[in-house]
Amino acid sequence: MLALAVPLSAAGRSLTGINIEGPSDAEPPPQPPSPAMYQLDIILKKGNNLAIRDRTGTSDPYVKFKIAGKEVFRSKTIHKNLNPVWDESVSLLVENLKDPLYVKVFDYDFGLQDDFMGSAYLHLESLEHQRTLDMTLDLKDPQYPEHNLGSLELVVTLSPKEGDMKDAYQSMRLSDVHRKAQLWRGIVSISLIEGRSLQPMDANGLSDPYVKFKMGHQKYKSKTIPKTLKPQWREQFDFHMYEEQGGYVDVTVWDKDAGKKDDFMGRCTIDLSHFPKEHTHKLDLPLEEGEGVLVLLVTLTASAAVSISDLSVNMLDESHHIMQRYSLWKSFHNLKDVGVVQVKVIRAEGLMAADVTGKSDPFCVVELSNDRLQTHTVYKNLNPEWNKVFTFNVKDIHSVLEVTVYDEDRDRSADFLGKVAIPLLHIQNGERKAYALKSKELTGPTKGVIFLETDVIFNAVKAGLRTLIPIEQKYIEEEPRVSKQLLLRNFNRVRRCIMFLINIGCYVNSCFEWDSPQRSICAFLLFVIVVWNFELYMIPLALLLPLAWNFVLIASGKDTRQDVQAVEDLLEDEDEDFDKDDKDSERKGFINKLYAIQDVCISVQNALDEVASYGERIKNTFNWTVPFLSWLAIVAFGAATTIVYFIPLRYIVLAWGVNKFTKKLRDPYTIDNNELLDFLSRVPSDVQVVQYRELKLDPNPSPNKRKKNNPG
């Protein structure tokens, strides 16, 4: 029986990622007694002369390991190669050596069933204990045993483990937590500048190239540049570096094809161990297995940004030094270091029972942008106590802290139990609060409460400057899919914004129509006075007026912000709809002829979301949904008013034009951005306002409501 499968570093050549100590006072006898568990360490090195499965005369092989019918490991896919080199490691905890390791090789086919390339068995009973063995497995097809399908090279070590299985499993998970390097040691910043002389993949002699980056479990994907062999991306991606010696970044270039599998255009690898830190390196990387060159800028920055400790260790005990670090006197020192946040994950109560025993094995994951830490697992408990302290560096004060509770399962992926999302600007320092857990989409309550205490210290000047540069991208997540519920929701959001503009137009038109003589006279006099005395500084001044008016109303207790009940009604049944979509998509499968239609639908869906979000964010800027951003808008409008008042417009326009025309000359590798759109991207939309809003604790939830919002 399999107990655990833990993937190790893809670049690792040794098995130091997991270390479970056995009894130090026992010598291993020649024939050891049957222990409670064995640790099986495997390095999948490479394949030799694998079978051809594609029309191009190659294959895209990957490997699966199974024990007792359960999949315990899947390797990465090596494209267009019959002699692939994986160098991937895995460590397994095995209880029964009578179950052999079943190794299967497949050819990856996008959108179709993967082709079988051969299999082999590794009989664990025949392995010598505590000895590293180099093994070659000959691949065979059970239906055609005479066919030669190549071989795999492995390095295998089997070690008996004494002690309780649960203790070993928990030790393995905690070791895996630290191996995944939740405590990262630096940042790798990669600016994708351009491509030169890329290979034409389409019938028109051009390509639609995009780039994928992968470093360990971290992945990014660039935007697609249509119809060009000399794409200009000018995008920036940040990776976390977990090892002192650096690591490798795999870069692949693809041609986007609607309705069929994207074409592979080439690859290259960046060896970070060759680059000194705190320095920007310009790289011209030729593409292997393809044509052309990629131009990149790579910067390695040392950092100690996140940490995990017990509740007895308090980072803010040294708050005096931290306050000095983020004081106004150091506003222009290390602009990327905006602040620090500390999260105390204390306990949870009343969690949902996810196991057949009526209990759960909960653990908690805390995420801030691309930083991710997690607690240990508390077994068979619906009221776990973790008492852990997590510390993150804040790179963007508008980031959202996400705390998710999962139920650990040995034989499959963890079950979701609940989640809360807390914008950093909503944090009340030093306040211990009980947060009602929400569903996976953050649209409704689920069972359970989590107790957190959070503190955030930041520099307001750095935070304001950071607001005007592009927001940090998240790692690549699952591909978007067509959802009629999401399409309808975004359509309704756009309709609400359009109806708001229509109502303003109707109000203005009513003044022209003299529906109310008193109102029309006032509007006419105001129009004459403004037009007669108009100066350009009045534009930002006019934008200041609704901000000031809404602030006065809020300060006086008259909250003019829109009731979020309408948005909650929009999202009320979304959890059930998403589950229904998942089941429908599994039954229907993929049809190649519908790929193009799906791409169009996803584009329309995302466009509706984009339009609705920016309309709502503009509105929420003026109604003080995020006071920090509203104050920032006041500072910007006030500065604009002063500048335009004292400086003639022609000089301002001239300076703007000179800046725009000379920007590329002054810095050929500058990354284009729009400060206004970057600012608006930090303002939450109406949907995000609902997601980030705290739920009121219900001491006696009704069974019907609990069943309705059950995320399972």
Side-chain angles (χ1 to χ4, degrees), residues 318-329:
E318 302 179 358
S319 59
H320 175 70
H321 301 289
I322 296 176
M323 293 296 291
Q324 284 186 337
R325 178 179 171 186
Y326 298 108
S327 66
L328 290 177
W329 299 108

Side-chain angles (χ1 to χ4, degrees), residues 576-618:
E576 298 174 5
D577 293 336
F578 272 111
D579 293 339
K580 183 178 179 181
D581 281 350
D582 289 338
K583 295 175 183 176
D584 290 343
S585 62
E586 290 174 5
R587 287 193 295 265
K588 293 177 183 176
F590 291 101
I591 303 176
N592 289 338
K593 292 183 179 180
L594 296 180
Y595 276 167
I597 299 176
Q598 177 173 317
D599 287 341
V600 172
C601 292
I602 290 175
S603 299
V604 173
Q605 174 180 293
N606 293 339
L608 289 175
D609 175 68
E610 194 82 6
V611 172
S613 295
Y614 275 110
E616 293 165 354
R617 286 166 176 167
I618 292 172

Side-chain angles (χ1 to χ4, degrees), residues 296-402:
L296 307 173
L297 299 180
V298 179
T299 306
L300 277 63
T301 305
S303 177
V306 296
S307 68
I308 179 172
S309 59
D310 293 324
L311 200 61
S312 58
V313 180
N314 192 341
M315 176 248 343
L316 295 182
D317 288 341
E318 302 179 358
S319 59
H320 175 70
H321 301 289
I322 296 176
M323 293 296 291
Q324 284 186 337
R325 178 179 171 186
Y326 298 108
S327 66
L328 290 177
W329 299 108
K330 297 188 177 181
S331 295
F332 299 98
H333 175 71
N334 191 5
L335 293 179
K336 291 186 177 181
D337 185 13
V338 173
V340 63
V341 60
Q342 176 180 271
V343 185
K344 296 181 181 178
V345 182
I346 301 166
R347 69 182 190 276
E349 293 181 356
L351 296 179
M352 184 170 53
D355 299 336
V356 293
T357 59
K359 299 289 185 179
S360 293
D361 303 322
F363 65 94
C364 187
V365 175
V366 184
E367 297 177 87
L368 183 67
S369 298
N370 286 318
D371 299 332
R372 185 180 189 273
L373 300 175
Q374 73 182 52
T375 68
H376 61 282
T377 301
V378 179
Y379 291 93
K380 300 187 184 306
N381 202 321
L382 299 180
N383 302 287
E385 292 191 11
W386 293 289
N387 293 323
K388 290 293 182 183
V389 180
F390 301 96
T391 305
F392 300 89
N393 263 25
V394 177
K395 294 178 284 186
D396 191 340
I397 196 60
H398 311 288
S399 300
V400 177
L401 184 72
E402 295 183 354

Side-chain angles (χ1 to χ4, degrees), residues 2 5 40-45 62-75 88-92 100-106 120 122 137 152-156:
L2 168 72
L40 178 64
D41 297 324
I42 304 173
I43 300 178
L44 172 63
K45 296 186 71 64
Y62 66 89
V63 181
K64 286 184 178 181
F65 293 165
K66 285 189 174 183
I67 296 182
K70 298 183 178 65
E71 182 178 325
V72 296
F73 170 77
R74 172 172 171 164
S75 74
E88 292 188 65
S89 303
V90 64
S91 183
L92 311 173
L101 177 72
Y102 187 29
V103 181
K104 301 178 73 175
V105 183
F106 291 90
L122 176 61
L137 299 181
L152 294 179
E153 294 186 15
L154 309 175
V155 177
V156 181

Side-chain angles (χ1 to χ4, degrees), residues 50 53 63-64 101-106 116-122 137-143 147 149-152:
L50 300 185
R53 290 292 183 263
V63 181
K64 286 184 178 181
L101 177 72
Y102 187 29
V103 181
K104 301 178 73 175
V105 183
F106 291 90
F116 177 71
M117 297 180 63
S119 63
Y121 284 96
L122 176 61
L137 299 181
D138 293 326
L139 300 174
K140 297 293 182 181
D141 187 340
Q143 296 182 358
H147 290 180
L149 302 180
S151 62
L152 294 179

Side-chain angles (χ1 to χ4, degrees), residues 30-189:
Q31 296 294 332
S34 179
M37 186 175 296
Y38 299 85
Q39 179 174 323
L40 178 64
D41 297 324
I42 304 173
I43 300 178
L44 172 63
K45 296 186 71 64
K46 63 181 181 178
N48 298 313
N49 301 318
L50 300 185
I52 297 173
R53 290 292 183 263
D54 294 340
R55 289 176 296 179
T56 58
T58 61
S59 295
D60 305 317
Y62 66 89
V63 181
K64 286 184 178 181
F65 293 165
K66 285 189 174 183
I67 296 182
K70 298 183 178 65
E71 182 178 325
V72 296
F73 170 77
R74 172 172 171 164
S75 74
K76 62 185 178 184
T77 301
I78 306 296
H79 293 278
K80 302 185 186 305
N81 201 323
L82 299 181
N83 297 282
V85 177
W86 283 284
D87 272 335
E88 292 188 65
S89 303
V90 64
S91 183
L92 311 173
L93 289 182
V94 182
E95 291 185 61
N96 189 357
L97 295 185
K98 293 182 180 180
D99 295 323
L101 177 72
Y102 187 29
V103 181
K104 301 178 73 175
V105 183
F106 291 90
D107 168 59
Y108 174 76
D109 283 324
F110 179 78
L112 304 173
Q113 183 175 356
D114 294 345
D115 298 322
F116 177 71
M117 297 180 63
S119 63
Y121 284 96
L122 176 61
H123 296 281
L124 305 182
E125 290 180 301
S126 65
L127 298 178
E128 185 177 349
H129 295 177
Q130 295 183 331
R131 181 177 177 183
T132 300
L133 303 173
D134 293 320
M135 309 197 69
T136 300
L137 299 181
D138 293 326
L139 300 174
K140 297 293 182 181
D141 187 340
Q143 296 182 358
Y144 306 97
E146 68 280 2
H147 290 180
N148 181 13
L149 302 180
S151 62
L152 294 179
E153 294 186 15
L154 309 175
V155 177
V156 181
T157 307
L158 181 66
S159 305
K161 312 303 296 181
E162 301 293 344
D164 183 67
M165 174 180 173
K166 181 186 295 182
D167 294 338
Y169 178 57
Q170 184 170 359
S171 175
M172 179 72 83
R173 166 168 284 281
L174 291 176
S175 179
D176 181 45
V177 166
H178 293 289
R179 186 213 58 80
K180 283 185 178 177
Q182 299 188 25
L183 311 182
W184 46 276
R185 302 184 179 185
I187 296 175
V188 181
S189 179

